[in-house]
Amino acid sequence: MAKVFDKSSRMRTLSLIFILLSLTFCQEKTRDFDLKIALLSDPQSLDPIALNDLTAQKVAKWIHKGLYHWKDGAIKTDWVKKHSIAQYKEFQLVIFELKPDAPKPNIIARSIKRLLIESFPRKNDYDFLLGVSTGNRSVHLKIRNNISESTWKEKLALPFASIIQFKEDGTWESLGDYRLVEWKKNEYIDIKRNNPNSSDLPTEVRFLILPQATTALFLYRKQKLDVFKLTDFLLNLPEANEKNTIIKKGRSVQYVAINHNNKCFDQNFRLALNFAIPRELIIEKLLGSAADLTYGAIPIPYFTLKFPGSEYKTYVYDKNKAIQYLKSSVCYPNILKSEIEFRMRADEENQTKGRAIIQALRELGLTIKLKPMEKASLYKENGEGKGDLTLLTWYSDYDSIWNFLDPLFHSEKFGNSGNRSFYINKNLTKKFETKNDSEALQTITTIYNEVPWIFLWSIQENYLVSNEFLRFVGLSDYL
């Protein structure tokens, strides 16, 4: 028997069809991007003065620029035509004459003035600044007399000294190669190229916040992602061939900060911890051999590049030697009964490395309590001097051997300013102030001998990139 539809039924059917058509053809158009890049976490801030986490500094390379910047291992400038120095009794006055396409002097001066008056984690790096003023097409900086030109150029090339333009409502715009278009927290960051005629750079880029590498891999295989950082567990992917893998060496050092506020953690105790770690075994078995040993705080590939032919040392695993040093430490044997807190980030990759380190320390008879933490809480509490041992990673701000020494061991830059072990050596701090390259080797040796950290390794950064990414020459500098 045929089914009969009344008028109301036909109207409902037509309405349903119209709704389906509207959903099909009236959806919001998805924006196209030249590149999509994965980030493991959301930046804490993109304000250059507050760039205190690695993710923010990676994005900052795209959107921020200062009077000077690092490129190909050298300090360069796009905005300064020339500079001159006038010497006075109490200070030196550096006058920067600006190129025609540079921001206006008052815009530059306002950004630099923030380094003088605002509080931020790396403020001590800019205590050489005494004042800032402007001329017609120039900016004038008052700088302490004992600061060398190479030092103040290094500091002005750091992302914290980037120039931004403030708007009337108090917000700001970036003035680098790209500008910020949209930032949806914990989802994505969209940027667009400032110079429309620069064909050697992609026009629009989206950063996707993807904490899980497996998600990034899925999107990459669907051709919906162009760049992501390979974890230790993904280094043997068939896609990770020589063409599509970009390897960065010698830019980081992973370590365990030993809290020097604890009097039991004397030099013998610290030596015991260093001889207890089977670094080469962990690098081979857990890191897929994608890490390098360090000479103290300096990655060996970077050390040999800067000091070719110079000798270097590493702490080789020796359990018996570790036990002997532990027995000679000031709090032995009571230290065996004390609970030592080991802190680290809570992600799977860090926990795998951390547990291997903890197991090695427990074999000395120490009682180690593991405390995985979220990144923000870990950094905040470490900056307050909490925790006994903390697994951390330092990524260099710029290409200089001193960047692995200051602020990491500067006696006036504790906690979030860089010196997370609260290590004090006033003689070294004086060397950090002058940065005499002839003293660098001795400084490295002193730090190696005084063992303020458990020295671990330098992680190789491996990025899987698409063929689309490879079309843009020199884009790997932004990674």
Side-chain angles (χ1 to χ4, degrees):
M1 179 177 176
K3 189 172 183 179
V4 178
F5 291 90
D6 58 19
K7 184 176 180 180
S8 62
S9 296
R10 289 196 300 272
M11 290 300 293
R12 285 195 298 271
T13 302
L14 286 172
S15 298
L16 179 60
I17 291 172
F18 281 125
I19 291 171
L20 291 173
L21 287 171
S22 67
L23 290 173
T24 303
F25 295 106
C26 300
Q27 292 181 16
E28 182 182 353
K29 185 180 178 181
T30 302
R31 288 175 57 196
D32 292 325
F33 294 88
D34 296 284
L35 289 178
K36 291 184 178 179
I37 301 173
L39 298 175
L40 291 175
S41 60
D42 217 19
Q44 295 179 17
S45 172
L46 289 179
D47 184 343
I49 209 169
L51 297 175
N52 198 39
D53 63 291
L54 177 62
T55 304
Q57 293 195 27
K58 284 186 176 294
V59 178
K61 288 184 180 181
W62 297 76
I63 69 173
H64 288 312
K65 184 187 292 186
L67 285 176
Y68 294 91
H69 60 273
W70 285 89
K71 187 173 183 180
D72 301 325
I75 297 176
K76 300 185 179 181
T77 179
D78 291 337
W79 292 338
V80 178
K81 184 192 302 183
K82 64 178 181 178
H83 75 273
S84 59
I85 302 175
Q87 193 67 52
Y88 294 87
K89 183 178 180 180
E90 297 178 349
F91 60 88
Q92 52 182 317
L93 184 67
V94 186
I95 301 172
F96 303 91
E97 294 187 31
L98 304 176
K99 294 180 180 180
D101 58 346
K104 293 179 180 179
N106 64 307
I107 294 175
I108 294 175
R110 180 171 182 181
S111 291
I112 293 179
K113 191 174 183 179
R114 299 178 73 204
L115 303 172
L116 284 162
I117 63 176
E118 295 189 25
S119 296
F120 60 102
R122 297 289 290 274
K123 187 176 180 64
N124 284 337
D125 282 344
Y126 296 92
D127 60 4
F128 65 89
L129 285 173
L130 303 176
V132 56
S133 58
T134 61
N136 183 28
R137 282 297 299 167
S138 62
V139 174
H140 310 159
L141 295 186
K142 286 184 179 180
I143 293 176
R144 286 204 333 246
N145 274 330
N146 61 339
I147 298 298
S148 66
E149 181 175 329
S150 60
T151 297
W152 58 252
K153 275 188 176 180
E154 281 183 357
K155 300 306 182 184
L156 292 179
L158 291 179
F160 317 105
S162 297
I163 309 304
I164 56 179
Q165 182 170 0
F166 286 92
K167 297 191 286 188
E168 291 183 0
D169 61 359
T171 60
W172 53 266
E173 292 181 348
S174 57
L175 298 174
D177 293 329
Y178 288 80
R179 64 183 182 275
L180 182 65
V181 175
E182 185 179 5
W183 181 6
K184 190 169 183 181
K185 288 282 189 178
N186 297 311
E187 291 191 30
Y188 59 79
I189 299 170
D190 294 343
I191 60 175
K192 189 170 184 178
R193 194 177 67 205
N194 274 326
N195 182 359
N197 300 318
S198 180
S199 58
D200 57 338
L201 290 174
T203 302
E204 292 188 274
V205 177
R206 166 166 281 189
F207 296 97
L208 290 165
I209 314 302
L210 301 173
Q212 300 299 324
T214 50
T215 305
L217 176 61
F218 174 80
L219 293 175
Y220 180 88
R221 286 175 168 169
K222 293 289 185 180
Q223 298 184 336
K224 295 181 181 297
L225 188 68
D226 296 288
V227 185
F228 75 99
K229 186 176 179 181
L230 291 168
T231 64
D232 303 328
F233 312 111
L234 298 178
L235 293 176
N236 294 321
L237 288 173
E239 293 91 343
N241 52 49
E242 185 176 351
K243 175 187 174 185
N244 293 97
T245 304
I246 294 176
I247 300 174
K248 302 283 187 177
K249 282 190 172 189
R251 301 198 307 180
S252 68
V253 57
Q254 193 159 52
Y255 65 100
V256 176
I258 303 172
N259 194 334
H260 283 239
N261 293 323
N262 189 326
K263 301 302 181 182
C264 287
F265 299 166
D266 66 345
Q267 187 174 15
N268 283 326
F269 177 83
R270 302 193 301 270
L271 283 166
L273 301 193
N274 272 275
F275 282 110
I277 307 301
R279 294 165 186 77
E280 291 173 313
L281 182 63
I282 294 174
I283 289 173
E284 178 188 355
K285 299 298 184 182
L286 294 184
L287 308 184
S289 298
D292 301 291
L293 294 173
T294 68
Y295 176 20
I298 313 298
I300 288 177
Y302 190 77
F303 179 86
T304 55
L305 179 67
K306 294 299 180 180
F307 304 103
S310 297
E311 294 183 357
Y312 57 82
K313 297 177 283 187
T314 62
Y315 285 100
V316 179
Y317 172 66
D318 189 327
K319 184 178 177 181
N320 291 330
K321 186 178 288 188
I323 291 173
Q324 289 305 312
Y325 274 116
L326 182 61
K327 289 180 177 179
S328 300
S329 63
V330 67
C331 291
Y332 187 86
N334 292 334
I335 191 70
L336 300 179
K337 302 174 185 177
S338 301
E339 187 176 76
I340 298 173
E341 189 177 73
F342 189 103
R343 297 180 170 210
M344 72 175 84
R345 288 179 60 180
D347 60 275
E348 181 180 9
E349 188 172 355
N350 272 287
Q351 286 209 55
T352 301
K353 288 178 255 189
R355 291 180 189 280
I357 296 167
I358 288 171
Q359 180 58 36
L361 299 181
R362 285 174 176 165
E363 289 180 6
L364 298 182
L366 296 171
T367 303
I368 309 292
K369 176 187 177 183
L370 172 62
K371 186 174 182 179
M373 300 177 69
E374 292 303 315
K375 175 182 173 181
S377 300
L378 177 70
Y379 285 9
K380 177 180 179 295
E381 293 192 11
N382 172 266
E384 295 169 350
K386 297 178 180 178
D388 298 314
L389 307 175
T390 307
L391 178 62
L392 296 163
T393 307
W394 168 260
Y395 288 87
S396 61
D397 292 323
Y398 55 92
D399 186 9
S400 169
I401 200 74
W402 295 101
N403 192 229
F404 287 99
L405 304 172
D406 173 20
L408 294 174
F409 305 103
H410 197 294
S411 299
E412 297 175 5
K413 298 178 181 179
F414 292 135
N416 291 330
S417 294
N419 186 347
R420 294 185 176 275
S421 61
F422 297 84
Y423 163 75
I424 297 176
N425 186 319
K426 297 293 185 181
N427 290 328
L428 288 188
T429 294
K430 292 177 182 177
K431 297 182 187 300
F432 300 150
E433 297 294 339
T434 57
K435 291 185 173 63
N436 187 336
D437 287 344
S438 65
E439 298 179 322
L441 275 173
Q442 182 56 50
T443 301
I444 294 167
T445 301
T446 298
I447 291 170
Y448 173 87
N449 291 333
E450 294 195 0
V451 284
W453 297 346
I454 301 178
F455 302 119
L456 296 177
W457 41 69
S458 175
I459 302 170
Q460 294 177 18
E461 300 166 69
N462 300 275
Y463 295 90
L464 191 60
V465 301
S466 68
N467 292 332
E468 185 67 19
F469 179 92
L470 295 172
R471 287 198 311 111
F472 300 97
V473 178
L475 205 57
S476 65
D477 291 339
Y478 288 83
L479 296 179

